[in-house]
Amino acid sequence: MTIREQTEQSELQTLSQGAAKACLSRGRDLEEPQCELRTVYQRDRDRILHCNSFRRLMNKTQMLLSPQGDHYRTRLTHTLEVSQIARTIARGLRLNEDLTEAIALGHDLGHTPFGHAGERALNEVCSFGYRHYEQSVRVVEKLEKEGRGLNLTYEVRNGIACHTTGHSADTLEGQTVRVADKIAYLNHDIDDAIRAGILSEENIPWEVHVHLGNSKTQRITSLVTSVVHNSIDFITMDKTTDDTFNLLRTYMFATVYVDPVAKGEESKAEQLVKTLFDYYLKKPECLPEAYKMIVERDGLERAVCDYISGMSDRYATAVYDDIFIPKPWQVTPYD
């Protein structure tokens, strides 16, 4: 038996009945030889980890727009925190940790520059709308590897597509990432808001302190523990924990996520994205060569959307400056 086959046999013997087993995967769109060492889900995780879109997440906004400080979250650190929380839940429920990690690492690959401000902007200007979870799937299917895509398994792509709204994922691992994403962003957004002076621990509703705890660590532990103790056929929490979690989410959307300090620059970011979108629609010849190929295959608007959504915050700003900001006159000696 190869090492991969030994791992597959171990999954059949040790994972829970509802867990996704690598040897039972619905497979890839394009069949390819199996790896001697890694299962299909391990290969998917590695492909995501090594792709260009994953690396760009380190310079994409999470909550605070391009924060000046080493300890604020970016889209990349958010992704890693989601992965850690999801893996803890998967381990507690004896689910497939490799599949869970692959979905978590890929769930935000389609996020825009400037976080949800960029997403709102593209959703307004694109005739087909814009949803980052759909773009994440497009990234792994159509855009990575010079248009060839990563050829991921069905289960990973399904988990990415269903990580935020709409239908639940077909696997418990995908459902796990969905709840882990919410646990992660609410708690680390609180942490960042406190660090930025927007929020204090005392401002958080007292019910949250009573039922979930008085710190980020206590809250995450309470939420994860509830998920592990209450999930069997689907991923869920007990009612009290779920109600308190929803109360905390409502509080954050009513305060921090509309705070003028935290969100004061977002209108500028939205305008920047819209301006770039309009510019490339009018001047498609200025698109990079790789995106001109997408124009031929999927149309101009789709190509412009792909290009802008893949930009990091600083790259989008640099492109905007290069196009629209006048350059200083270069004075030569003796002029």
Side-chain angles (χ1 to χ4, degrees):
M1 293 177 66
T2 64
I3 293 175
R4 170 185 55 78
E5 290 170 334
Q6 293 176 33
T7 303
E8 291 172 345
Q9 286 299 310
S10 177
E11 288 182 356
L12 292 173
Q13 296 167 7
T14 61
L15 296 184
S16 68
Q17 183 177 357
K21 283 75 173 182
C23 65
L24 302 177
S25 168
R26 289 174 56 172
R28 312 179 187 281
D29 284 346
L30 297 176
E31 291 188 15
E32 52 187 72
Q34 290 274 29
C35 176
E36 179 181 336
L37 302 178
R38 298 167 296 164
T39 69
V40 289
Y41 298 145
Q42 290 171 342
R43 294 182 79 185
D44 284 359
R45 175 203 57 206
D46 295 350
R47 289 177 182 186
I48 292 169
L49 189 65
H50 291 292
C51 76
N52 291 330
S53 300
F54 184 80
R55 289 192 293 276
R56 290 198 298 268
L57 295 177
M58 67 181 173
N59 289 309
K60 291 192 176 188
T61 290
Q62 172 53 31
M63 180 187 72
L64 299 174
L65 197 68
S66 301
Q68 297 300 307
D70 292 339
H71 297 150
Y72 292 103
R73 271 74 172 186
T74 65
R75 190 62 58 177
L76 177 61
T77 56
H78 159 73
T79 295
L80 297 177
E81 291 185 31
V82 172
S83 176
Q84 181 272 317
I85 292 171
R87 286 175 57 197
T88 298
I89 294 172
R91 193 176 303 121
L93 294 172
R94 291 191 298 120
L95 300 177
N96 194 309
E97 204 170 327
D98 295 323
L99 172 57
T100 303
E101 185 177 18
I103 296 169
L105 293 178
H107 82 281
D108 268 356
L109 292 180
H111 236 300
T112 59
F114 312 116
H116 290 287
E119 184 171 17
R120 286 193 300 271
L122 283 182
N123 189 50
E124 289 180 22
V125 295
C126 292
S127 64
F128 44 79
Y130 186 89
R131 288 157 290 275
H132 77 271
Y133 51 92
E134 294 177 351
Q135 187 69 15
S136 295
V137 175
R138 180 170 172 80
V139 165
V140 300
E141 288 185 342
K142 303 286 187 181
L143 301 183
E144 276 292 338
K145 301 288 290 268
E146 299 178 342
R148 299 189 303 276
L150 300 180
N151 196 29
L152 304 182
T153 57
Y154 167 83
E155 292 79 11
V156 174
R157 289 179 286 133
N158 173 259
I160 291 172
C162 299
H163 83 265
T164 179
T165 59
H167 297 295
S168 293
D170 292 346
T171 62
L172 292 176
E173 289 80 2
Q175 295 174 32
T176 294
V177 172
R178 185 168 180 163
V179 71
D181 185 29
K182 295 177 181 178
I183 292 172
Y185 82 69
L186 278 179
N187 282 284
H188 63 49
D189 286 355
I190 290 172
D191 196 39
D192 281 356
I194 291 174
R195 179 173 288 108
I198 298 167
L199 180 68
S200 68
E201 193 70 44
E202 292 73 25
N203 297 140
I204 297 172
W206 65 268
E207 297 95 331
V208 176
H209 291 144
V210 170
H211 296 297
L212 301 184
N214 299 313
S215 68
K216 176 190 68 176
T217 300
Q218 291 177 3
R219 285 188 291 271
I220 292 176
T221 299
S222 296
L223 293 164
V224 168
T225 301
S226 178
V227 171
V228 172
H229 285 168
N230 290 276
S231 300
I232 301 177
D233 296 326
F234 57 93
I235 303 301
T236 188
M237 305 176 190
D238 66 88
K239 187 176 186 308
T240 298
T241 301
D242 189 48
D243 288 346
T244 308
F245 187 47
N246 287 328
L247 172 67
L248 178 59
R249 187 172 183 272
T250 299
Y251 170 77
M252 289 292 288
F253 275 91
T255 55
V256 173
Y257 296 147
V258 295
D259 183 88
V261 176
K263 303 298 181 180
E265 295 293 297
E266 286 195 352
S267 61
K268 297 179 184 178
E270 291 181 32
Q271 189 58 46
L272 184 152
V273 169
K274 291 177 181 179
T275 302
L276 287 179
F277 187 86
D278 183 63
Y279 174 82
Y280 285 110
L281 280 184
K282 294 176 178 176
K283 294 192 174 184
E285 68 275 9
C286 295
L287 283 168
E289 287 301 319
Y291 293 91
K292 293 177 183 178
M293 296 171 58
I294 297 175
V295 173
E296 297 177 4
R297 186 183 68 195
D298 300 324
L300 175 59
E301 191 177 4
R302 180 77 261 181
V304 173
C305 179
D306 288 341
Y307 181 41
I308 294 175
S309 65
M311 294 178 176
S312 65
D313 294 11
R314 65 183 184 183
Y315 182 75
T317 303
V319 170
Y320 182 90
D321 285 350
D322 185 59
I323 296 172
F324 297 106
I325 305 301
K327 307 297 184 296
W329 179 260
Q330 298 296 319
V331 179
T332 57
Y334 312 113
D335 278 359

